Amino acid sequence: MEKLKVGTLIEDMGKLGVISNVITSGTLNIDNDIIKWRNNYEIFYSDGTIAIIGETTLNRLIETGSVKIL
């Protein structure tokens, strides 16, 4: 799957979201090791929710149709 970019619109369980940041492995200053060693996407949803989702997880959700790229 191709890399998603900042500004990509998604539909996630009926909610509109936009990728607001792509956090590459090792660049996030946080004490949680699982977030440090994988690529992550920060997604801002239209209801004000912000989520950080791992690249592998997001790709799997897209492949299964749970998340759609708009």
Side-chain angles (χ1 to χ4, degrees), residues 3-66:
K3 301 281 184 189
L4 301 174
K5 299 177 183 173
V6 171
T8 301
L9 294 175
I10 65 167
E11 180 186 336
D12 182 359
M13 297 178 57
K15 293 192 307 185
L16 180 63
V18 62
I19 295 177
S20 56
N21 194 9
V22 178
I23 305 164
T24 56
S25 178
T27 61
L28 186 62
N29 186 14
I30 191 167
D31 290 331
N32 188 336
D33 287 336
I34 195 166
I35 292 176
K36 286 183 181 178
W37 54 263
R38 65 178 188 185
N39 293 330
N40 297 281
Y41 293 100
E42 181 180 62
I43 301 172
F44 181 80
Y45 291 96
S46 58
D47 65 358
T49 305
I50 298 173
I52 295 178
I53 300 177
E55 182 178 50
T56 303
T57 300
L58 186 57
N59 286 338
R60 187 173 50 247
L61 291 169
I62 292 167
E63 289 172 6
T64 62
S66 297

